[in-house]
Amino acid sequence: MKKQPIITILLLFLATCFAQANESTPIVNKEVNTRAEIIVNRVEEIRVMDKSTLSRIEKKALKEELKDLKKEAKEMGLDSRVSISVGALIIIILLLIIIL
């Protein structure tokens, strides 16, 4: 059995999986960049802040603010995680098994 056609078909399928994943990335413009800088600066301010002197209510307010900032950053597409679909992962593993 020839491996060449099987490998070619699998590579084409894999390429289409990654092409679809790439299309869903958001376009980052100037306004998004400025808002992202504001979010990062505010998070750094909160991180540096001495929280031991804050009251319980103030700490809770800070937690809520951080949650809101995280949610907003995620909506803007600033999530730095790279995701790979389960199907693409299985294909990669199969290709490695076939090739090696």
Side-chain angles (χ1 to χ4, degrees), residues 41-65:
N41 290 337
R42 180 62 184 149
V43 170
E44 288 299 321
E45 288 175 8
I46 293 172
R47 193 173 285 160
V48 173
M49 192 182 299
D50 184 22
K51 297 175 198 82
S52 63
T53 59
L54 299 176
S55 69
R56 197 170 142 205
I57 297 170
E58 291 171 333
K59 287 180 184 179
K60 188 174 182 179
L62 277 178
K63 283 184 183 180
E64 289 295 321
E65 183 180 356

PDB file of all heavy atoms in Angstrom, residues 41-65:
ATOM      1  N   ASN A  41      -2.557  48.818  31.954  1.00  0.00           N
ATOM      2  CA  ASN A  41      -2.061  49.760  32.965  1.00  0.00           C
ATOM      3  C   ASN A  41      -2.873  49.674  34.256  1.00  0.00           C
ATOM      4  O   ASN A  41      -2.311  49.697  35.353  1.00  0.00           O
ATOM      5  CB  ASN A  41      -2.084  51.188  32.425  1.00  0.00           C
ATOM      6  CG  ASN A  41      -1.043  51.406  31.358  1.00  0.00           C
ATOM      7  OD1 ASN A  41      -0.045  50.695  31.295  1.00  0.00           O
ATOM      8  ND2 ASN A  41      -1.277  52.378  30.499  1.00  0.00           N
ATOM      9  N   ARG A  42      -4.178  49.570  34.123  1.00  0.00           N
ATOM     10  CA  ARG A  42      -5.040  49.494  35.319  1.00  0.00           C
ATOM     11  C   ARG A  42      -4.780  48.203  36.091  1.00  0.00           C
ATOM     12  O   ARG A  42      -4.730  48.205  37.328  1.00  0.00           O
ATOM     13  CB  ARG A  42      -6.510  49.597  34.913  1.00  0.00           C
ATOM     14  CG  ARG A  42      -7.454  49.539  36.080  1.00  0.00           C
ATOM     15  CD  ARG A  42      -7.240  50.690  37.051  1.00  0.00           C
ATOM     16  NE  ARG A  42      -8.106  50.516  38.195  1.00  0.00           N
ATOM     17  CZ  ARG A  42      -7.825  50.908  39.419  1.00  0.00           C
ATOM     18  NH1 ARG A  42      -6.702  51.551  39.669  1.00  0.00           N
ATOM     19  NH2 ARG A  42      -8.668  50.701  40.401  1.00  0.00           N
ATOM     20  N   VAL A  43      -4.609  47.099  35.376  1.00  0.00           N
ATOM     21  CA  VAL A  43      -4.322  45.830  36.050  1.00  0.00           C
ATOM     22  C   VAL A  43      -2.983  45.904  36.780  1.00  0.00           C
ATOM     23  O   VAL A  43      -2.857  45.416  37.908  1.00  0.00           O
ATOM     24  CB  VAL A  43      -4.341  44.666  35.032  1.00  0.00           C
ATOM     25  CG1 VAL A  43      -3.807  43.394  35.650  1.00  0.00           C
ATOM     26  CG2 VAL A  43      -5.751  44.447  34.523  1.00  0.00           C
ATOM     27  N   GLU A  44      -2.005  46.539  36.170  1.00  0.00           N
ATOM     28  CA  GLU A  44      -0.706  46.695  36.831  1.00  0.00           C
ATOM     29  C   GLU A  44      -0.821  47.580  38.074  1.00  0.00           C
ATOM     30  O   GLU A  44      -0.187  47.312  39.096  1.00  0.00           O
ATOM     31  CB  GLU A  44       0.326  47.281  35.859  1.00  0.00           C
ATOM     32  CG  GLU A  44       0.772  46.306  34.800  1.00  0.00           C
ATOM     33  CD  GLU A  44       1.433  45.074  35.375  1.00  0.00           C
ATOM     34  OE1 GLU A  44       2.197  45.181  36.353  1.00  0.00           O
ATOM     35  OE2 GLU A  44       1.156  43.978  34.848  1.00  0.00           O
ATOM     36  N   GLU A  45      -1.631  48.634  37.995  1.00  0.00           N
ATOM     37  CA  GLU A  45      -1.854  49.483  39.170  1.00  0.00           C
ATOM     38  C   GLU A  45      -2.467  48.685  40.309  1.00  0.00           C
ATOM     39  O   GLU A  45      -2.058  48.828  41.471  1.00  0.00           O
ATOM     40  CB  GLU A  45      -2.786  50.645  38.823  1.00  0.00           C
ATOM     41  CG  GLU A  45      -2.177  51.712  37.964  1.00  0.00           C
ATOM     42  CD  GLU A  45      -3.206  52.755  37.558  1.00  0.00           C
ATOM     43  OE1 GLU A  45      -4.348  52.722  38.078  1.00  0.00           O
ATOM     44  OE2 GLU A  45      -2.871  53.597  36.715  1.00  0.00           O
ATOM     45  N   ILE A  46      -3.439  47.857  39.987  1.00  0.00           N
ATOM     46  CA  ILE A  46      -4.093  47.051  41.021  1.00  0.00           C
ATOM     47  C   ILE A  46      -3.126  46.023  41.588  1.00  0.00           C
ATOM     48  O   ILE A  46      -3.105  45.767  42.789  1.00  0.00           O
ATOM     49  CB  ILE A  46      -5.355  46.368  40.442  1.00  0.00           C
ATOM     50  CG1 ILE A  46      -6.412  47.430  40.112  1.00  0.00           C
ATOM     51  CG2 ILE A  46      -5.914  45.342  41.410  1.00  0.00           C
ATOM     52  CD1 ILE A  46      -7.613  46.894  39.372  1.00  0.00           C
ATOM     53  N   ARG A  47      -2.295  45.454  40.738  1.00  0.00           N
ATOM     54  CA  ARG A  47      -1.338  44.447  41.188  1.00  0.00           C
ATOM     55  C   ARG A  47      -0.296  45.035  42.141  1.00  0.00           C
ATOM     56  O   ARG A  47       0.100  44.402  43.118  1.00  0.00           O
ATOM     57  CB  ARG A  47      -0.654  43.826  39.971  1.00  0.00           C
ATOM     58  CG  ARG A  47       0.116  42.578  40.296  1.00  0.00           C
ATOM     59  CD  ARG A  47       0.618  41.909  39.055  1.00  0.00           C
ATOM     60  NE  ARG A  47      -0.493  41.236  38.380  1.00  0.00           N
ATOM     61  CZ  ARG A  47      -0.493  40.877  37.121  1.00  0.00           C
ATOM     62  NH1 ARG A  47       0.548  41.138  36.365  1.00  0.00           N
ATOM     63  NH2 ARG A  47      -1.527  40.255  36.603  1.00  0.00           N
ATOM     64  N   VAL A  48       0.135  46.267  41.868  1.00  0.00           N
ATOM     65  CA  VAL A  48       1.149  46.919  42.695  1.00  0.00           C
ATOM     66  C   VAL A  48       0.554  47.448  44.002  1.00  0.00           C
ATOM     67  O   VAL A  48       1.249  47.591  45.006  1.00  0.00           O
ATOM     68  CB  VAL A  48       1.824  48.053  41.892  1.00  0.00           C
ATOM     69  CG1 VAL A  48       2.755  48.865  42.749  1.00  0.00           C
ATOM     70  CG2 VAL A  48       2.554  47.486  40.695  1.00  0.00           C
ATOM     71  N   MET A  49      -0.735  47.690  44.010  1.00  0.00           N
ATOM     72  CA  MET A  49      -1.420  48.290  45.144  1.00  0.00           C
ATOM     73  C   MET A  49      -1.255  47.449  46.420  1.00  0.00           C
ATOM     74  O   MET A  49      -1.235  46.222  46.371  1.00  0.00           O
ATOM     75  CB  MET A  49      -2.912  48.415  44.806  1.00  0.00           C
ATOM     76  CG  MET A  49      -3.714  49.253  45.748  1.00  0.00           C
ATOM     77  SD  MET A  49      -5.458  49.268  45.248  1.00  0.00           S
ATOM     78  CE  MET A  49      -5.373  49.993  43.637  1.00  0.00           C
ATOM     79  N   ASP A  50      -1.134  48.133  47.553  1.00  0.00           N
ATOM     80  CA  ASP A  50      -1.057  47.452  48.851  1.00  0.00           C
ATOM     81  C   ASP A  50      -2.482  47.139  49.302  1.00  0.00           C
ATOM     82  O   ASP A  50      -3.219  48.007  49.736  1.00  0.00           O
ATOM     83  CB  ASP A  50      -0.347  48.347  49.869  1.00  0.00           C
ATOM     84  CG  ASP A  50      -0.161  47.662  51.202  1.00  0.00           C
ATOM     85  OD1 ASP A  50      -0.173  46.401  51.238  1.00  0.00           O
ATOM     86  OD2 ASP A  50       0.000  48.364  52.218  1.00  0.00           O
ATOM     87  N   LYS A  51      -2.843  45.879  49.207  1.00  0.00           N
ATOM     88  CA  LYS A  51      -4.221  45.476  49.492  1.00  0.00           C
ATOM     89  C   LYS A  51      -4.465  45.175  50.971  1.00  0.00           C
ATOM     90  O   LYS A  51      -5.602  44.969  51.376  1.00  0.00           O
ATOM     91  CB  LYS A  51      -4.592  44.260  48.646  1.00  0.00           C
ATOM     92  CG  LYS A  51      -4.560  44.547  47.169  1.00  0.00           C
ATOM     93  CD  LYS A  51      -4.804  43.291  46.373  1.00  0.00           C
ATOM     94  CE  LYS A  51      -4.363  43.448  44.953  1.00  0.00           C
ATOM     95  NZ  LYS A  51      -2.954  43.249  44.732  1.00  0.00           N
ATOM     96  N   SER A  52      -3.404  45.145  51.749  1.00  0.00           N
ATOM     97  CA  SER A  52      -3.579  44.830  53.173  1.00  0.00           C
ATOM     98  C   SER A  52      -4.276  45.963  53.922  1.00  0.00           C
ATOM     99  O   SER A  52      -4.893  45.736  54.961  1.00  0.00           O
ATOM    100  CB  SER A  52      -2.229  44.528  53.810  1.00  0.00           C
ATOM    101  OG  SER A  52      -1.397  45.664  53.745  1.00  0.00           O
ATOM    102  N   THR A  53      -4.200  47.175  53.411  1.00  0.00           N
ATOM    103  CA  THR A  53      -4.832  48.314  54.092  1.00  0.00           C
ATOM    104  C   THR A  53      -6.277  48.523  53.642  1.00  0.00           C
ATOM    105  O   THR A  53      -6.970  49.356  54.210  1.00  0.00           O
ATOM    106  CB  THR A  53      -4.030  49.597  53.810  1.00  0.00           C
ATOM    107  OG1 THR A  53      -3.998  49.814  52.400  1.00  0.00           O
ATOM    108  CG2 THR A  53      -2.617  49.489  54.358  1.00  0.00           C
ATOM    109  N   LEU A  54      -6.717  47.784  52.639  1.00  0.00           N
ATOM    110  CA  LEU A  54      -8.077  47.968  52.120  1.00  0.00           C
ATOM    111  C   LEU A  54      -9.099  47.229  52.986  1.00  0.00           C
ATOM    112  O   LEU A  54      -8.802  46.207  53.594  1.00  0.00           O
ATOM    113  CB  LEU A  54      -8.170  47.445  50.685  1.00  0.00           C
ATOM    114  CG  LEU A  54      -7.269  48.123  49.657  1.00  0.00           C
ATOM    115  CD1 LEU A  54      -7.406  47.443  48.314  1.00  0.00           C
ATOM    116  CD2 LEU A  54      -7.610  49.593  49.533  1.00  0.00           C
ATOM    117  N   SER A  55     -10.282  47.761  52.978  1.00  0.00           N
ATOM    118  CA  SER A  55     -11.364  47.090  53.690  1.00  0.00           C
ATOM    119  C   SER A  55     -11.903  45.944  52.832  1.00  0.00           C
ATOM    120  O   SER A  55     -11.543  45.794  51.663  1.00  0.00           O
ATOM    121  CB  SER A  55     -12.491  48.065  54.018  1.00  0.00           C
ATOM    122  OG  SER A  55     -13.146  48.451  52.824  1.00  0.00           O
ATOM    123  N   ARG A  56     -12.769  45.163  53.428  1.00  0.00           N
ATOM    124  CA  ARG A  56     -13.330  44.009  52.741  1.00  0.00           C
ATOM    125  C   ARG A  56     -14.167  44.422  51.523  1.00  0.00           C
ATOM    126  O   ARG A  56     -14.112  43.794  50.469  1.00  0.00           O
ATOM    127  CB  ARG A  56     -14.188  43.238  53.736  1.00  0.00           C
ATOM    128  CG  ARG A  56     -14.499  41.851  53.336  1.00  0.00           C
ATOM    129  CD  ARG A  56     -15.132  41.120  54.493  1.00  0.00           C
ATOM    130  NE  ARG A  56     -16.165  40.262  53.956  1.00  0.00           N
ATOM    131  CZ  ARG A  56     -17.217  39.816  54.593  1.00  0.00           C
ATOM    132  NH1 ARG A  56     -17.391  40.155  55.852  1.00  0.00           N
ATOM    133  NH2 ARG A  56     -18.076  39.044  54.017  1.00  0.00           N
ATOM    134  N   ILE A  57     -14.894  45.503  51.669  1.00  0.00           N
ATOM    135  CA  ILE A  57     -15.739  45.997  50.578  1.00  0.00           C
ATOM    136  C   ILE A  57     -14.876  46.508  49.421  1.00  0.00           C
ATOM    137  O   ILE A  57     -15.180  46.264  48.250  1.00  0.00           O
ATOM    138  CB  ILE A  57     -16.681  47.100  51.099  1.00  0.00           C
ATOM    139  CG1 ILE A  57     -17.622  46.516  52.150  1.00  0.00           C
ATOM    140  CG2 ILE A  57     -17.448  47.742  49.968  1.00  0.00           C
ATOM    141  CD1 ILE A  57     -18.434  47.546  52.894  1.00  0.00           C
ATOM    142  N   GLU A  58     -13.782  47.188  49.737  1.00  0.00           N
ATOM    143  CA  GLU A  58     -12.892  47.696  48.699  1.00  0.00           C
ATOM    144  C   GLU A  58     -12.202  46.553  47.947  1.00  0.00           C
ATOM    145  O   GLU A  58     -12.031  46.617  46.727  1.00  0.00           O
ATOM    146  CB  GLU A  58     -11.847  48.628  49.313  1.00  0.00           C
ATOM    147  CG  GLU A  58     -12.430  49.924  49.829  1.00  0.00           C
ATOM    148  CD  GLU A  58     -11.424  50.747  50.616  1.00  0.00           C
ATOM    149  OE1 GLU A  58     -10.489  50.152  51.203  1.00  0.00           O
ATOM    150  OE2 GLU A  58     -11.586  51.970  50.662  1.00  0.00           O
ATOM    151  N   LYS A  59     -11.817  45.506  48.674  1.00  0.00           N
ATOM    152  CA  LYS A  59     -11.214  44.341  48.029  1.00  0.00           C
ATOM    153  C   LYS A  59     -12.194  43.670  47.081  1.00  0.00           C
ATOM    154  O   LYS A  59     -11.835  43.257  45.975  1.00  0.00           O
ATOM    155  CB  LYS A  59     -10.740  43.327  49.074  1.00  0.00           C
ATOM    156  CG  LYS A  59      -9.505  43.752  49.831  1.00  0.00           C
ATOM    157  CD  LYS A  59      -9.117  42.676  50.830  1.00  0.00           C
ATOM    158  CE  LYS A  59      -7.944  43.117  51.686  1.00  0.00           C
ATOM    159  NZ  LYS A  59      -7.560  42.104  52.672  1.00  0.00           N
ATOM    160  N   LYS A  60     -13.444  43.596  47.515  1.00  0.00           N
ATOM    161  CA  LYS A  60     -14.476  42.986  46.676  1.00  0.00           C
ATOM    162  C   LYS A  60     -14.696  43.830  45.415  1.00  0.00           C
ATOM    163  O   LYS A  60     -14.854  43.286  44.317  1.00  0.00           O
ATOM    164  CB  LYS A  60     -15.775  42.855  47.465  1.00  0.00           C
ATOM    165  CG  LYS A  60     -16.839  42.080  46.755  1.00  0.00           C
ATOM    166  CD  LYS A  60     -18.040  41.865  47.643  1.00  0.00           C
ATOM    167  CE  LYS A  60     -19.098  41.040  46.926  1.00  0.00           C
ATOM    168  NZ  LYS A  60     -20.260  40.781  47.759  1.00  0.00           N
ATOM    169  N   ALA A  61     -14.665  45.140  45.562  1.00  0.00           N
ATOM    170  CA  ALA A  61     -14.831  46.028  44.411  1.00  0.00           C
ATOM    171  C   ALA A  61     -13.670  45.863  43.425  1.00  0.00           C
ATOM    172  O   ALA A  61     -13.873  45.866  42.205  1.00  0.00           O
ATOM    173  CB  ALA A  61     -14.938  47.475  44.873  1.00  0.00           C
ATOM    174  N   LEU A  62     -12.462  45.693  43.957  1.00  0.00           N
ATOM    175  CA  LEU A  62     -11.305  45.481  43.091  1.00  0.00           C
ATOM    176  C   LEU A  62     -11.424  44.162  42.327  1.00  0.00           C
ATOM    177  O   LEU A  62     -11.099  44.081  41.137  1.00  0.00           O
ATOM    178  CB  LEU A  62     -10.006  45.477  43.905  1.00  0.00           C
ATOM    179  CG  LEU A  62      -9.404  46.836  44.221  1.00  0.00           C
ATOM    180  CD1 LEU A  62      -8.161  46.680  45.077  1.00  0.00           C
ATOM    181  CD2 LEU A  62      -9.077  47.581  42.958  1.00  0.00           C
ATOM    182  N   LYS A  63     -11.887  43.125  43.011  1.00  0.00           N
ATOM    183  CA  LYS A  63     -12.077  41.832  42.343  1.00  0.00           C
ATOM    184  C   LYS A  63     -13.092  41.950  41.214  1.00  0.00           C
ATOM    185  O   LYS A  63     -12.889  41.402  40.126  1.00  0.00           O
ATOM    186  CB  LYS A  63     -12.537  40.768  43.340  1.00  0.00           C
ATOM    187  CG  LYS A  63     -11.438  40.237  44.206  1.00  0.00           C
ATOM    188  CD  LYS A  63     -11.971  39.121  45.097  1.00  0.00           C
ATOM    189  CE  LYS A  63     -10.905  38.615  46.029  1.00  0.00           C
ATOM    190  NZ  LYS A  63     -11.393  37.533  46.910  1.00  0.00           N
ATOM    191  N   GLU A  64     -14.173  42.658  41.462  1.00  0.00           N
ATOM    192  CA  GLU A  64     -15.194  42.846  40.435  1.00  0.00           C
ATOM    193  C   GLU A  64     -14.631  43.629  39.248  1.00  0.00           C
ATOM    194  O   GLU A  64     -14.909  43.310  38.092  1.00  0.00           O
ATOM    195  CB  GLU A  64     -16.409  43.574  41.013  1.00  0.00           C
ATOM    196  CG  GLU A  64     -17.232  42.739  41.960  1.00  0.00           C
ATOM    197  CD  GLU A  64     -17.879  41.557  41.265  1.00  0.00           C
ATOM    198  OE1 GLU A  64     -18.337  41.696  40.113  1.00  0.00           O
ATOM    199  OE2 GLU A  64     -17.910  40.474  41.879  1.00  0.00           O
ATOM    200  N   GLU A  65     -13.838  44.652  39.557  1.00  0.00           N
ATOM    201  CA  GLU A  65     -13.238  45.440  38.485  1.00  0.00           C
ATOM    202  C   GLU A  65     -12.295  44.586  37.647  1.00  0.00           C
ATOM    203  O   GLU A  65     -12.289  44.665  36.406  1.00  0.00           O
ATOM    204  CB  GLU A  65     -12.477  46.634  39.067  1.00  0.00           C
ATOM    205  CG  GLU A  65     -11.893  47.539  38.010  1.00  0.00           C
ATOM    206  CD  GLU A  65     -11.136  48.716  38.597  1.00  0.00           C
ATOM    207  OE1 GLU A  65     -11.126  48.881  39.835  1.00  0.00           O
ATOM    208  OE2 GLU A  65     -10.550  49.466  37.800  1.00  0.00           O
TER     209      GLU A  65
END
